[in-house]
Amino acid sequence: MPDVKPPLDLSEVVHAICDTNDRLAKQLSRRNGHPLPSRDKLIEIVERLKAVLFPGYFGLSEMSADNVRFHIGALLDSIRRDLREQIKRGLCFACIESTGEKCPHCEQRALEYTDAFLARLSDIRHLLGTDVQAAYEGDPAATSPDETIFCYPGVQAITYHRLAHELHRLAVPLIPRIISEHAHSVTGIDIHPGATIGERFFIDHGTGVVIGETCVIGRNVRLYQGVTLGAKSFPLDDEGKPIKGVARHPIVEDDVIVYSGATILGRVTLGRGSVIGGNVWLTESVPPGSRVTQIQAAEDRFENGGGI
């Protein structure tokens, strides 16, 4: 007969995890039961916001001119309550992390941030309308603007981004990044909420696109799959840690097209109307109207003393 092992004592596992995770214990002690923002709740809120921005396309599909105002009003009322609570949790989390105690003004600040965000929804809707039109006009396979709203990951990603970006502009902690990382997991497109993106923005196909925190993208810009607008290097402080908030990502001016697989790194400028070819590796600025291919980019690196 084989030896019969006694059943696992889960309390020992719990103690072992907690005893070896000092940071967890300290965080729980500092929060003293105060809840963190809920990722699931935020995703639900974003889905309701999509139903506000595109009524009839998301959420309730039986929409008409007679009931759309009532429907949007009811959605916004529920969104306002739920978003305010999540923003308050994010603000309290940031206060506890920085000072060790909850800020007495988080409740009022959460209300102000929520209302400021909701007041911007009509502007977000305008921008998204231009993005949808750019997607329809930029892809000969698109049969209608409606198809791009329903089906295109690039349109979905920019929808999430424009919502997250407004919260980022308001300096709401944690929540914009939760939204952007959810978009990343759903679409395969990684846009930091800090990136500034102009109207008529279109990502075709989309998978693998990366847009960094300090990118500035003009109007009528088109990117294809696998494009990276990233940082070349990170300035470090005296302790060897990256300095936060330094402008380190590309500036893409109006009417630029970047084809699939291109990698543009550093605080470089792609001049207006430029076309960057597929799989180009670029770490230098290019003037307006440039046409950059792999061969040209390689020749420029050799001229500047670099290698492939």
Side-chain angles (χ1 to χ4, degrees), residues 10-252:
L10 285 180
S11 65
E12 294 181 1
V13 178
V14 171
H15 288 308
I17 291 173
C18 293
D19 289 345
T20 57
N21 197 335
D22 293 337
R23 176 171 169 77
L24 173 62
K26 289 177 181 178
Q27 286 179 331
L28 291 173
S29 175
R30 290 167 68 182
R31 290 205 303 268
N32 194 24
H34 185 80
L36 291 169
S38 166
R39 184 177 186 274
D40 291 341
K41 191 66 177 180
L42 283 167
I43 292 170
E44 178 190 318
I45 291 169
V46 169
E47 293 306 309
R48 280 185 277 158
L49 283 166
K50 287 168 60 179
V52 167
L53 296 169
F54 296 108
Y57 292 86
F58 303 102
L60 184 66
S61 58
E62 293 81 11
M63 298 293 297
S64 69
D66 294 330
N67 65 19
V68 64
R69 291 180 183 274
F70 172 81
H71 175 66
I72 291 175
L75 274 174
L76 285 176
D77 184 58
S78 67
I79 289 168
R80 188 187 192 197
R81 290 193 303 271
D82 292 342
L83 183 59
R84 180 176 61 198
E85 172 62 24
Q86 296 305 312
I87 289 177
K88 183 186 78 172
R89 293 184 182 192
L91 290 169
C92 289
F93 169 79
C95 286
I96 292 168
E97 283 292 293
S98 61
T99 67
E101 58 185 27
K102 179 181 173 182
C103 172
H105 307 297
C106 286
E107 185 86 40
Q108 181 60 32
R109 290 169 64 203
L111 175 60
E112 292 172 358
Y113 287 175
T114 301
D115 286 353
F117 170 76
L118 295 179
R120 287 282 297 161
L121 285 180
S122 60
D123 295 319
I124 294 173
R125 179 61 182 83
H126 166 74
L127 285 171
L128 289 173
T130 71
D131 300 327
V132 167
Q133 193 63 27
Y136 172 59
E137 294 174 1
D139 184 3
T143 60
S144 68
D146 307 83
E147 182 183 2
T148 70
I149 296 171
F150 277 125
C151 306
Y152 279 38
V155 173
Q156 188 170 6
I158 192 62
T159 300
Y160 284 117
H161 172 72
R162 295 210 186 278
L163 294 169
H165 181 66
E166 287 303 321
L167 292 167
H168 178 85
R169 288 180 60 194
L170 290 167
V172 173
L174 199 58
I175 289 171
R177 197 62 187 270
I178 292 174
I179 295 172
S180 67
E181 290 305 326
H182 171 66
H184 184 195
S185 68
V186 170
T187 66
I189 298 168
D190 184 1
I191 310 177
H192 191 284
T196 301
I197 301 177
E199 63 183 28
R200 291 184 57 83
F201 180 65
F202 177 38
I203 301 175
D204 201 357
H205 304 294
T207 305
V209 168
V210 177
I211 301 175
E213 176 189 15
T214 61
C215 274
V216 178
I217 297 175
R219 68 181 305 277
N220 200 38
V221 169
R222 188 191 315 172
L223 308 180
Y224 285 82
Q225 69 271 21
V227 167
T228 296
L229 302 177
K232 185 178 179 181
S233 60
F234 309 101
L236 305 177
D237 61 19
D238 294 338
E239 297 179 355
K241 298 178 181 179
I243 299 174
K244 307 293 184 180
V246 176
R248 60 195 183 278
H249 299 100
I251 298 171
V252 182

